[in-house]
Amino acid sequence: MSPINPASTLLSEAPKWELGPHADRESSPTEWIPAEVPGAVQLDWAREHEWDDPFFADNFRDYEWMEDRYWTYRCVVPSHPDQCPNDHTLWLRCDGVDYACHVLLAGRVIYTHEGMFTPFSINLEESHAEPGQTLEIRIHPVPKSTPTNDAGREQANRCCKPAVSYGWDFHPRLVPLGLWQVAIMEWRPPLHFSEISLHPVVSDDLKSARLKIEGLYHGHPDGYLALNLTDPAGKHIHEERIKLDPSGSFRAQLTVCKPELWWPHDHGNQPLYCVVLTLHDIKDEPSDTAKRSVGFRRVRLVANEDNQRASDDPPLTRDYPPMTLEINGRRIFIKGSNWVPPDVFPCRVTPETVQPLIDFAKNAHLNLLRCWGGGLINPNFFYDLCDQAGLLIWTEFPLACNNYPDDPAYLAVLDQESKSILKRVRSHACQALWCGGNELFNAWSGMNDQSLALRLLARNCFDFDPYTPFLQTSPVYGVAHGYYGVEIAQSGREAIEVFQERRHTAYTEFGMPGPGSLEILRSFIPESELYPPRPGTAWETHHAFQAWDMDTDSWLGLLTLQRYTGPHHFIEELVANGQLLQAEGYRHLYEEVRRQKPRASMALNWCFNEPWPCAANNSLISYNGVPKPALRAVADSCRPALASAQIPRLLWEPGDTFKCTLWLLNDVYEKLSATSIQAILEVDYRSEVLTEWMCPGADVNRNNKGPECNVGLPQTSESRVFHFHLKSKEYPELNSTYTLFFNLDREDNPLITP
Amino acid sequence: MSPINPASTLLSEAPKWELGPHADRESSPTEWIPAEVPGAVQLDWAREHEWDDPFFADNFRDYEWMEDRYWTYRCVVPSHPDQCPNDHTLWLRCDGVDYACHVLLAGRVIYTHEGMFTPFSINLEESHAEPGQTLEIRIHPVPKSTPTNDAGREQANRCCKPAVSYGWDFHPRLVPLGLWQVAIMEWRPPLHFSEISLHPVVSDDLKSARLKIEGLYHGHPDGYLALNLTDPAGKHIHEERIKLDPSGSFRAQLTVCKPELWWPHDHGNQPLYCVVLTLHDIKDEPSDTAKRSVGFRRVRLVANEDNQRASDDPPLTRDYPPMTLEINGRRIFIKGSNWVPPDVFPCRVTPETVQPLIDFAKNAHLNLLRCWGGGLINPNFFYDLCDQAGLLIWTEFPLACNNYPDDPAYLAVLDQESKSILKRVRSHACQALWCGGNELFNAWSGMNDQSLALRLLARNCFDFDPYTPFLQTSPVYGVAHGYYGVEIAQSGREAIEVFQERRHTAYTEFGMPGPGSLEILRSFIPESELYPPRPGTAWETHHAFQAWDMDTDSWLGLLTLQRYTGPHHFIEELVANGQLLQAEGYRHLYEEVRRQKPRASMALNWCFNEPWPCAANNSLISYNGVPKPALRAVADSCRPALASAQIPRLLWEPGDTFKCTLWLLNDVYEKLSATSIQAILEVDYRSEVLTEWMCPGADVNRNNKGPECNVGLPQTSESRVFHFHLKSKEYPELNSTYTLFFNLDREDNPLITP
């Protein structure tokens, strides 16, 4: 027995949970198996019955029946431990139930709950619990707004469960259920915390910060709250005693003068203050303690420079919404990515799985992760790690690609869940942007500005965290999502070329698919199916084929791959070709959006990571933290300063006139010095200097556009790839290399034997 | 002494108010003059000092000094009248103070208030008032965020006063101050109403309606509230006794089964139910009574048909916001206009001034008025009259063309004012749309989606009236404002032609300027300045010249007028020409937007009426209810069904090929029968039938596009105008006539002697 929550001094005990499925709400399990908590019913069942890895081949289909069962957890009410003071009472603490449940004591319902993101605690002694009685948590079946099992994400449109679990183009249909977070017994003193929420607000002039502390307590109001603030150097800077409100709440506010400001990692340090809150009882004895860290930053979303309106011809519509993040008064160009759940089972997402992903992001010079609305609202440790890493977070509420209706029952749960999320997350310095959800204002979702769910979220964000920006959805007007591929299906043009013509304010999703690495592929594809990839195999269930509606070849894209990189002959070649094309595609897109600064303000690819091993996907990092070569390319493109070439496309015909425009990209808040930059074309190991740009450097946070250069490509080539290099004489850290592709499959190509 | 509020049974008395200006808050007036209440300090001062009409010539300039004075109203605390029961207490009731004030009793401040739209009452006996004591209401100077007097509307950006008062292109700089609504003494019984707010909500299936009744009372909670509902036929359908909450509030909810639904006048009737609320004291005696009428309708803003997104080429931004009003499940095409304050002085806007304007709108087949955010939030009688008339209202909060800052003091007043407005107006069936304000998301305002003022308004609308649509501003994405003139200055093209190329979801402002009628011009232009119109005269102060930034010739538009209608030789000719051009311009714009149905959903011209006599303006009706010929043209164009011609422009060259496309427009929810429609060109009194369209009629609420027709125009013409007629053989009520213009001023025109 030990305090399981480091922020709490309460005596607690993890019960021996057991678990079993049953058909309906009134019945009981006929088979009980040991349960791990935090966990998922699927994992417990698979462990007990020695099932294979659910991620191998199409094993996930075996779990389908579990969706429509009730699952009851049970444990025994413990007796009062000797070392625990007599006045302590027994509580059940549930930090997260996936998704709805009844709590029963000796067969009697004592509590009902819906929603993964709102913790609850039950005073068991008030419920007349006796030691030895059975406590049950009866988990309801997966919520589905339509009963048909062949339906997908739309079944999630009346609940606050991540829609991705119902199946997506990178996620199997596998909907977890169970006690996904801590569920323990606690002996609590007469006076203890029930809820704590911090709300730091930096003043307009950045010279002071308010820290609001609000919460609820349980117990007699004749104690007090002791508040102790320590600065990032560990120095105590504020102590205060706060009276408890007899209504059961407390509220304090303190001011920090000249706060050390928190910055994203590419712009400064991440100083964190520490708040210790202690409840003292009437005898002045400390009764309960909580410790939180908090950083101070001012975040705003301001209008993009030079990109106010789509057209100047009257009659006029509105200007574009602002999309430039300003942190502590500094406009920050966002180089980021879209975070998806790093595991199908949220209970398996731990600091140990998250920390390497955050390190990858930071090392790739990414400064923001958009936590996409189809996925999970991350636990606190995620935000703590991002606070420490200086990684900005865009948090979306759990709505995605559905029409969430104006239904009072749904809205009541959304209200509860969003308030819980807001009260928890608003204290984190990394939390830079709230968003109602993913692609809700597009035809495939069908919501709009009048949808009550979004009006409710706007209301709650205003009430609980008004100084952090709120977007109704992504994309808003002026912002772009897509494309997800090298070539746009509708027009046959390369996405790279189309991006160069656009004038969006932000590009918050764009994708380039590529296969997983061989170790990933081997982890879930039976050897017999490994090569060549075919529909109807584990390749397809893991999204290599028919994953995305518009393109049955996605995400592997064999036809495109063949055109760009030629035929493949073995699995290693296929993977290498596909990963190269993905990497080079991302390189151009990131750099193109950067070149559009300050008209554009954000470049976020779709997506960063994976919830299970995908055969092919737009991700930069495969399941379980295995990076693809694309991550290296993105890291190159997102260097704070670099020489960049605007090249119209990836695929060239022999004999074409190759042309490009040189740029110096600078997101640093320092001037870049002058440098001479050579543009070098390298074909078949022969290099030719096309031009030497006497680049005058660049202003603070400004790009500099250089000269164009042109050259005729050779009529033949031995290699299907050629390279374009930018080399700075003085600052080799600015150097860039682009790999481009020759189309050697033309019918008139002398290399091809008909 | 008599109850002044028909909804109240309280004994009341209008005090003898006196008024005087003084320099600062601590001083007192040296001169006291009689004051009319409701009124304005400017009108009292002018009356007492026998000043000329402030609307004549540039008399309004004489009022400028009044802006920066304090103005104190005073009266004497009356003694308890004999006929009033002893337990009644004396209250000061102020329904509207323009704009901020202190209330003083015997020189002691007992109350402070800011905001025109929040009424307040003060219990004078609790303030220890004695009969004979002086009660003062000290009105603060005009609120100005910048002190310079040459500044305009931007001075209003930190207050909730109508920005239009600070000067606009159709409004003089004349900022009213004073007790603009009722300010009286009331003897109130121990138990009386403090606030009543109704909230009718129709069910999704339209088969029932809830009526929520919320409010505050003053007195002992041991009485009850009697609630009595009468249906539109006068039949009592519900009686109930409601307990009073000891906290001072009451709350009731009743359900009306199969409610008779309220419709806009062009789609049905306006049945109104009557609610009588009576407070009964502990002895079961009625103590206070209020009576309200309420209509039931369900209003939604739904996506426009066939107009979801601006482009289908990936990457995609969001779809257009919904802009089609749906009333009781029926999509209603909006033909409306922009309502501006019908008087510079809000105290002069009475049912007697408003009723004729509503009648004009209804007779012109308009079904919605947008109460523009630069103006006043109208008093209840306005909404009552619109409820009765079946005229939909779009209510904008008092923000317009300014950047209202994230300033806590401003936001607090906006919060108070918007809640008062919402609680009052939400009960009205005519209230169809809430909007944050005018053109706030355009560069000249500089607000955006993150502005706290708009996030606050969105929050309050969601909290108080969630089932009525809310727009952040107008225009939102896809909606268009402008142009305001026959020819677009930037391109020289006719607005009519440009509209035909556009694909906006709604056109919520478009203007065609025209001069006022002769009787209006003579009412404020000195005879010596009447003709020809010149800058620097009353023509200019009344907006004929340099009224609109972009065009110094606006609003009279002499150069355009000359090109279209030829030279004028006397004032009558100028007025007739200008009014003809305005009328014909509006005819084409309204019909063009109607032709774009269902892609477009709303046609609202700028503007309907005027706050003072304008020499020239885009209005349909001059000051004080004098209609212009444009109103007749708009009435023609807004007939529920009509034959319409899409004609590319107003001005033609002799010898041009005239072409147009025939349409049958139908906003009626009935099929239109087949009819043969002749297209007739009439030049110099000679008519030629161009085509005869055997029109098959039209579907319910659908237009029908007919054939094109072409004809060569003659090389010369005796008249500068020619006509195009559409004549239905069977249904002459569909007939339309267009007046078009010959450009006879070309240098090669044989009629012109060089």
Side-chain angles (χ1 to χ4, degrees):
Chain A
M1 185 182 311
S2 70
I4 180 164
N5 175 4
S8 167
T9 52
L10 306 181
L11 282 172
S12 62
E13 176 175 323
K16 238 189 210 162
W17 289 105
E18 291 182 309
L19 175 71
H22 47 115
D24 50 52
R25 194 175 137 179
E26 310 313 324
S27 63
S28 282
T30 51
E31 177 185 358
W32 291 95
I33 60 172
E36 269 193 17
V37 175
V41 302
Q42 287 90 346
L43 295 174
D44 289 328
W45 189 266
R47 189 186 313 106
E48 178 66 13
H49 297 90
E50 298 183 344
W51 285 14
D52 272 352
D53 178 6
F55 291 175
F56 188 81
D58 57 354
N59 287 350
F60 68 95
R61 296 197 203 281
D62 299 339
Y63 294 75
E64 198 182 308
W65 64 271
M66 302 189 189
E67 290 182 4
D68 300 319
R69 295 293 186 282
Y70 283 80
W71 292 86
T72 293
Y73 286 84
R74 74 175 178 194
C75 69
V76 175
V77 174
S79 43
H80 204 98
D82 294 341
Q83 77 273 39
C84 176
N86 275 335
D87 60 357
H88 281 41
T89 52
L90 183 64
W91 292 67
L92 170 67
R93 169 182 150 199
C94 281
D95 282 4
V97 172
D98 187 2
Y99 168 77
C101 69
H102 287 87
V103 181
L104 298 94
L105 183 67
R108 181 171 47 91
V109 174
I110 59 170
Y111 199 78
T112 62
H113 180 83
E114 178 177 346
M116 292 176 71
F117 306 116
T118 301
F120 62 88
S121 290
I122 303 172
N123 185 334
L124 292 179
E125 293 187 22
E126 270 185 8
S127 300
H128 311 294
E130 300 289 339
Q133 283 184 327
T134 301
L135 184 88
E136 292 172 297
I137 301 180
R138 184 157 296 170
I139 309 284
H140 296 203
V142 166
K144 298 178 184 178
S145 60
T146 55
T148 48
N149 263 342
D150 57 342
R153 65 173 190 242
E154 58 274 27
Q155 290 185 312
N157 78 355
R158 283 172 187 259
C159 71
C160 295
K161 235 176 124 49
V164 76
S165 307
Y166 293 74
W168 220 271
D169 57 38
F170 63 97
H171 192 296
R173 167 77 182 214
L174 209 177
V175 195
L177 286 176
L179 299 173
W180 77 283
Q181 291 211 332
V182 166
I184 53 170
M185 299 291 185
E186 277 183 348
W187 281 271
R188 298 187 180 176
L191 180 63
H192 62 260
F193 290 114
S194 307
E195 182 182 293
I196 297 168
S197 178
L198 306 186
H199 190 201
V201 177
V202 174
S203 68
D204 268 7
D205 63 5
L206 306 176
K207 289 183 180 158
S208 69
R210 275 179 303 152
L211 179 62
K212 289 194 214 175
I213 298 160
E214 296 169 349
L216 302 172
Y217 67 91
H218 183 273
H220 201 281
D222 277 349
Y224 65 90
L225 174 70
L227 189 162
N228 195 313
L229 183 72
T230 313
D231 75 8
K235 192 176 142 203
H236 287 283
I237 56 171
H238 189 92
E239 275 190 13
E240 196 178 346
R241 290 183 175 203
I242 310 291
K243 275 195 181 174
L244 299 175
D245 190 294
S247 71
S249 65
F250 55 84
R251 181 183 288 265
Q253 181 170 313
L254 58 88
T255 300
V256 178
C257 294
K258 295 188 188 160
E260 291 181 52
L261 295 175
W262 182 98
W263 289 93
H265 68 87
D266 49 347
H267 287 270
N269 297 325
Q270 293 77 48
L272 295 172
Y273 290 68
C274 178
V275 189
V276 177
L277 300 172
T278 309
L279 282 172
H280 288 255
D281 62 19
I282 193 165
K283 289 170 284 181
D284 207 7
E285 297 291 326
S287 181
D288 194 5
T289 292
K291 190 174 167 181
R292 301 288 158 89
S293 74
V294 37
F296 295 106
R297 88 288 179 264
R298 197 190 69 192
V299 54
R300 289 177 173 163
L301 208 53
V302 299
N304 291 26
E305 282 181 69
D306 302 337
N307 201 8
Q308 202 140 39
R309 64 175 75 136
S311 155
D312 280 324
D313 296 328
L316 293 179
T317 191
R318 64 160 291 182
D319 292 352
Y320 288 131
M323 280 303 293
T324 298
L325 264 184
E326 189 201 80
I327 307 285
N328 303 330
R330 177 184 283 195
R331 286 166 179 258
I332 307 262
F333 188 87
I334 295 301
K335 298 171 290 256
S337 189
N338 279 275
W339 174 272
V340 300
D343 204 298
V344 163
F345 296 102
C347 59
R348 300 206 293 203
V349 180
T350 65
E352 291 67 37
T353 51
V354 165
Q355 183 68 61
L357 293 170
I358 290 177
D359 291 342
F360 278 131
K362 192 169 167 176
N363 292 333
H365 309 292
L366 303 184
N367 53 19
L368 181 141
L369 294 174
R370 172 179 173 237
C371 295
W372 170 72
L376 191 77
I377 306 294
N378 281 300
N380 254 343
F381 71 76
F382 175 88
Y383 291 93
D384 281 335
L385 294 177
C386 292
D387 281 346
Q388 291 157 21
L391 197 56
L392 296 166
I393 297 300
W394 163 333
T395 300
E396 275 178 17
F397 291 99
L399 296 85
C401 295
N402 277 325
N403 191 343
Y404 296 81
D406 295 351
D407 169 62
Y410 166 66
L411 294 174
V413 178
L414 181 66
D415 189 42
Q416 162 203 293
E417 293 287 271
S418 58
K419 284 174 179 165
S420 297
I421 294 163
L422 279 156
K423 284 192 278 188
R424 172 166 69 83
V425 175
R426 67 178 176 182
S427 69
H428 290 278
C430 64
Q431 167 56 22
L433 198 55
W434 293 105
C435 178
N438 181 66
E439 294 170 8
L440 302 174
F441 289 171
N442 291 91
W444 49 92
S445 295
M447 297 182 83
N448 62 48
D449 312 68
Q450 302 305 325
S451 296
L452 292 184
L454 295 170
R455 294 182 63 192
L456 180 150
L457 291 173
R459 188 267 312 263
N460 288 352
C461 286
F462 182 78
D463 280 345
F464 287 88
D465 197 15
Y467 303 109
T468 299
F470 171 75
L471 294 179
Q472 294 168 299
T473 187
S474 181
V476 293
Y477 172 44
V479 174
H481 274 202
Y483 189 73
Y484 309 91
V486 177
E487 292 171 322
I488 294 177
Q490 290 91 331
S491 62
R493 299 173 69 202
E494 284 193 15
I496 291 168
E497 189 180 356
V498 171
F499 268 52
Q500 292 177 14
E501 296 163 3
R502 292 302 186 92
R503 216 191 145 168
H504 292 284
T505 52
Y507 300 75
T508 54
E509 281 193 17
F510 52 83
M512 284 285 167
S517 303
L518 205 54
E519 64 175 290
I520 289 291
L521 298 175
R522 287 197 194 277
S523 77
F524 68 88
I525 304 180
E527 191 61 33
S528 62
E529 296 181 354
L530 194 59
Y531 190 81
R534 288 181 306 271
T537 66
W539 283 93
E540 180 172 334
T541 49
H542 289 247
H543 320 298
F545 298 102
Q546 299 193 24
W548 194 31
D549 297 345
M550 295 171 66
D551 179 358
T552 56
D553 196 24
S554 63
W555 292 119
L556 192 53
L558 287 177
L559 294 173
T560 304
L561 197 56
Q562 163 117 4
R563 196 158 54 255
Y564 281 71
T565 63
H568 50 89
H569 307 86
F570 40 89
I571 184 68
E572 289 79 2
E573 190 180 19
L574 170 66
V575 168
N577 288 350
Q579 292 193 335
L580 173 67
L581 186 58
Q582 179 191 32
E584 291 304 311
Y586 271 136
R587 184 188 304 279
H588 290 270
L589 291 183
Y590 270 98
E591 291 185 21
E592 175 53 31
V593 179
R594 292 189 63 177
R595 287 188 290 263
Q596 293 180 22
K597 184 180 81 170
R599 278 175 11 206
S601 59
M602 298 189 183
L604 311 181
N605 88 301
W606 178 266
C607 53
F608 187 61
N609 56 326
E610 288 181 357
W612 79 327
C614 291
N617 187 12
N618 297 287
S619 60
L620 303 178
I621 302 174
S622 289
Y623 178 64
N624 238 345
V626 180
K628 298 182 186 175
L631 183 66
R632 181 70 255 155
V634 171
D636 280 351
S637 302
C638 293
R639 282 172 287 162
L642 76 158
S644 170
Q646 187 180 41
I647 299 172
R649 55 184 195 271
L650 284 169
L651 187 64
W652 297 84
E653 305 286 329
D656 270 357
T657 300
F658 173 86
K659 57 179 183 179
C660 68
T661 308
L662 308 190
W663 286 75
L664 183 63
L665 303 183
N666 181 28
D667 289 350
V668 186
Y669 268 73
E670 284 175 17
K671 286 194 176 191
L672 293 192
S673 305
T675 177
S676 110
I677 296 172
Q678 280 190 336
I680 299 162
L681 188 74
E682 180 199 343
V683 181
D684 288 341
Y685 304 104
R686 286 183 297 275
S687 290
E688 177 187 355
V689 176
L690 304 185
T691 190
E692 183 153 1
W693 175 26
M694 306 307 286
C695 172
D699 265 349
V700 168
N701 192 33
R702 290 286 174 188
N703 300 328
N704 197 347
K705 187 178 179 178
E708 273 195 25
C709 54
N710 294 279
V711 66
L713 293 176
Q715 288 295 343
T716 63
S717 165
E718 284 173 29
S719 170
R720 286 185 167 268
V721 299
F722 65 101
H723 301 284
F724 183 74
H725 305 280
L726 296 173
K727 291 198 178 168
S728 161
K729 200 160 142 193
E730 294 82 3
Y731 307 106
E733 65 271 23
L734 299 176
N735 293 359
S736 296
T737 287
Y738 304 84
T739 301
L740 300 151
F741 301 89
F742 266 129
N743 182 5
L744 299 185
D745 301 331
R746 296 176 315 158
E747 285 175 17
D748 60 342
N749 188 327
L751 294 179
I752 292 182
T753 324
Chain B
M1 186 183 310
S2 70
I4 181 166
N5 175 3
S8 166
T9 53
L10 307 179
L11 282 172
S12 63
E13 176 176 324
K16 238 189 209 162
W17 290 106
E18 290 182 310
L19 175 70
H22 47 115
D24 50 53
R25 194 175 139 180
E26 311 312 325
S27 64
S28 283
T30 51
E31 180 185 357
W32 291 95
I33 61 171
E36 269 191 18
V37 175
V41 303
Q42 287 90 344
L43 295 173
D44 289 328
W45 189 266
R47 188 187 313 106
E48 178 67 14
H49 297 90
E50 299 183 344
W51 283 15
D52 272 351
D53 177 7
F55 291 175
F56 188 81
D58 59 354
N59 287 351
F60 68 95
R61 297 197 200 281
D62 299 339
Y63 294 74
E64 196 181 310
W65 63 271
M66 302 188 188
E67 290 181 3
D68 300 318
R69 294 293 186 283
Y70 283 80
W71 292 86
T72 293
Y73 286 83
R74 74 174 177 193
C75 70
V76 174
V77 174
S79 42
H80 205 97
D82 293 341
Q83 76 274 37
C84 177
N86 274 337
D87 60 357
H88 282 40
T89 52
L90 184 63
W91 292 67
L92 169 67
R93 168 182 152 200
C94 280
D95 283 2
V97 172
D98 186 2
Y99 168 75
C101 70
H102 286 87
V103 180
L104 299 94
L105 183 66
R108 180 170 51 90
V109 175
I110 58 170
Y111 199 79
T112 62
H113 180 83
E114 178 176 346
M116 294 175 72
F117 306 116
T118 301
F120 63 88
S121 291
I122 304 172
N123 184 334
L124 291 178
E125 291 185 22
E126 270 185 10
S127 300
H128 311 293
E130 300 288 340
Q133 282 184 327
T134 301
L135 183 88
E136 292 173 297
I137 301 180
R138 185 156 295 170
I139 309 283
H140 296 203
V142 166
K144 298 177 185 177
S145 60
T146 54
T148 48
N149 263 342
D150 56 344
R153 63 175 191 240
E154 59 273 27
Q155 289 185 312
N157 78 355
R158 283 172 186 259
C159 70
C160 296
K161 236 174 123 52
V164 75
S165 307
Y166 293 73
W168 219 270
D169 56 39
F170 64 96
H171 192 295
R173 167 77 182 213
L174 209 175
V175 194
L177 285 176
L179 299 172
W180 78 283
Q181 291 210 333
V182 166
I184 54 171
M185 300 291 186
E186 278 183 347
W187 280 271
R188 299 187 179 175
L191 180 64
H192 62 261
F193 290 114
S194 304
E195 182 182 294
I196 297 169
S197 178
L198 306 187
H199 189 202
V201 177
V202 174
S203 68
D204 268 7
D205 62 5
L206 306 175
K207 288 182 182 160
S208 69
R210 275 179 303 153
L211 179 61
K212 289 193 213 176
I213 298 160
E214 295 170 349
L216 303 173
Y217 68 92
H218 182 272
H220 200 279
D222 278 349
Y224 66 91
L225 174 68
L227 188 162
N228 195 312
L229 183 71
T230 314
D231 76 6
K235 193 178 140 202
H236 288 282
I237 56 169
H238 190 92
E239 275 190 14
E240 194 178 349
R241 288 182 177 203
I242 309 291
K243 274 194 180 173
L244 300 175
D245 189 293
S247 72
S249 65
F250 55 84
R251 181 182 288 265
Q253 180 169 312
L254 59 87
T255 300
V256 179
C257 294
K258 295 187 187 161
E260 292 181 52
L261 295 174
W262 183 99
W263 289 93
H265 68 86
D266 48 348
H267 288 268
N269 296 325
Q270 293 76 48
L272 296 172
Y273 290 68
C274 179
V275 189
V276 177
L277 301 171
T278 309
L279 282 172
H280 288 255
D281 62 20
I282 193 163
K283 289 171 284 179
D284 206 8
E285 296 289 326
S287 181
D288 195 5
T289 292
K291 190 174 168 180
R292 300 289 157 88
S293 73
V294 45
F296 295 106
R297 89 289 177 263
R298 197 191 69 193
V299 55
R300 290 177 173 163
L301 208 52
V302 298
N304 291 25
E305 285 180 66
D306 302 336
N307 201 8
Q308 203 141 39
R309 64 176 74 139
S311 156
D312 280 323
D313 297 328
L316 294 179
T317 190
R318 64 161 291 180
D319 291 352
Y320 287 131
M323 281 302 292
T324 298
L325 264 184
E326 189 202 80
I327 306 286
N328 304 329
R330 178 183 282 193
R331 287 166 178 257
I332 307 260
F333 188 87
I334 294 301
K335 299 171 289 253
S337 188
N338 280 276
W339 174 273
V340 301
D343 204 299
V344 163
F345 297 101
C347 59
R348 299 205 294 203
V349 180
T350 65
E352 292 67 38
T353 51
V354 165
Q355 184 67 61
L357 292 170
I358 290 177
D359 291 342
F360 278 131
K362 190 169 169 175
N363 292 333
H365 308 292
L366 302 183
N367 53 19
L368 181 143
L369 295 173
R370 172 180 174 236
C371 295
W372 169 72
L376 191 76
I377 305 293
N378 280 300
N380 255 343
F381 70 77
F382 174 88
Y383 290 94
D384 282 333
L385 295 175
C386 292
D387 281 345
Q388 292 157 20
L391 197 56
L392 296 166
I393 296 301
W394 162 332
T395 300
E396 274 179 17
F397 291 100
L399 296 84
C401 295
N402 277 324
N403 191 344
Y404 296 81
D406 295 350
D407 170 62
Y410 166 67
L411 294 175
V413 178
L414 181 66
D415 189 42
Q416 162 204 292
E417 294 287 271
S418 58
K419 284 174 178 164
S420 297
I421 293 163
L422 278 156
K423 285 192 276 188
R424 173 166 69 81
V425 174
R426 67 176 175 182
S427 69
H428 290 277
C430 65
Q431 168 58 20
L433 198 55
W434 294 105
C435 179
N438 181 66
E439 294 170 10
L440 302 174
F441 290 170
N442 292 90
W444 48 93
S445 295
M447 296 181 84
N448 63 48
D449 311 67
Q450 303 305 326
S451 296
L452 292 185
L454 295 171
R455 294 182 63 190
L456 180 150
L457 292 173
R459 188 266 313 264
N460 287 351
C461 286
F462 182 78
D463 280 345
F464 287 90
D465 197 15
Y467 304 109
T468 300
F470 171 75
L471 294 178
Q472 294 168 301
T473 186
S474 182
V476 293
Y477 172 44
V479 173
H481 274 200
Y483 191 73
Y484 309 90
V486 176
E487 292 171 322
I488 295 177
Q490 290 91 329
S491 62
R493 299 173 69 201
E494 285 194 15
I496 291 168
E497 190 181 356
V498 171
F499 268 53
Q500 292 176 15
E501 298 162 1
R502 293 303 186 93
R503 218 191 144 168
H504 292 284
T505 53
Y507 299 77
T508 52
E509 281 194 15
F510 52 83
M512 283 285 167
S517 302
L518 205 54
E519 65 176 290
I520 289 291
L521 298 175
R522 285 197 196 280
S523 77
F524 68 89
I525 304 179
E527 191 62 32
S528 62
E529 296 181 355
L530 195 60
Y531 191 81
R534 288 181 306 270
T537 68
W539 283 94
E540 180 173 333
T541 50
H542 290 247
H543 320 297
F545 299 102
Q546 300 193 22
W548 195 30
D549 296 344
M550 296 170 65
D551 178 359
T552 56
D553 196 24
S554 64
W555 292 117
L556 193 52
L558 286 177
L559 295 173
T560 303
L561 197 57
Q562 164 117 4
R563 194 157 57 255
Y564 280 71
T565 62
H568 50 88
H569 307 87
F570 41 90
I571 183 68
E572 288 81 0
E573 192 181 19
L574 169 66
V575 168
N577 288 349
Q579 293 192 334
L580 173 67
L581 185 59
Q582 178 191 33
E584 292 302 313
Y586 272 135
R587 184 187 303 279
H588 290 270
L589 291 182
Y590 270 98
E591 292 185 21
E592 175 53 31
V593 178
R594 292 189 63 177
R595 286 188 291 263
Q596 293 179 20
K597 185 179 82 169
R599 279 176 10 208
S601 59
M602 299 189 181
L604 311 181
N605 87 300
W606 177 266
C607 55
F608 187 62
N609 57 325
E610 289 181 357
W612 80 325
C614 292
N617 187 11
N618 297 287
S619 60
L620 304 177
I621 303 174
S622 288
Y623 178 64
N624 237 345
V626 179
K628 297 180 184 177
L631 183 66
R632 181 70 253 153
V634 171
D636 280 350
S637 303
C638 293
R639 282 172 289 163
L642 76 157
S644 170
Q646 188 181 39
I647 299 172
R649 55 185 196 271
L650 285 169
L651 187 64
W652 296 82
E653 305 286 330
D656 270 357
T657 300
F658 173 86
K659 58 179 180 178
C660 69
T661 307
L662 309 190
W663 287 74
L664 183 63
L665 303 183
N666 181 27
D667 289 350
V668 186
Y669 269 74
E670 284 174 17
K671 286 193 177 193
L672 294 193
S673 305
T675 177
S676 109
I677 296 171
Q678 281 191 336
I680 300 162
L681 188 74
E682 181 198 342
V683 182
D684 288 342
Y685 303 105
R686 284 182 301 273
S687 290
E688 178 187 355
V689 176
L690 303 186
T691 191
E692 182 153 2
W693 175 26
M694 306 308 285
C695 171
D699 265 349
V700 169
N701 192 34
R702 292 285 172 187
N703 300 326
N704 196 348
K705 187 176 178 179
E708 273 198 24
C709 54
N710 294 279
V711 66
L713 293 176
Q715 289 294 342
T716 63
S717 165
E718 283 174 28
S719 168
R720 288 185 164 267
V721 298
F722 64 102
H723 301 285
F724 184 74
H725 306 280
L726 295 174
K727 290 196 179 169
S728 160
K729 200 160 143 194
E730 294 82 1
Y731 307 107
E733 64 272 24
L734 299 176
N735 293 358
S736 296
T737 287
Y738 304 85
T739 300
L740 299 151
F741 301 89
F742 267 129
N743 183 3
L744 299 184
D745 301 332
R746 297 175 313 160
E747 284 176 16
D748 59 344
N749 187 327
L751 294 178
I752 292 182
T753 324

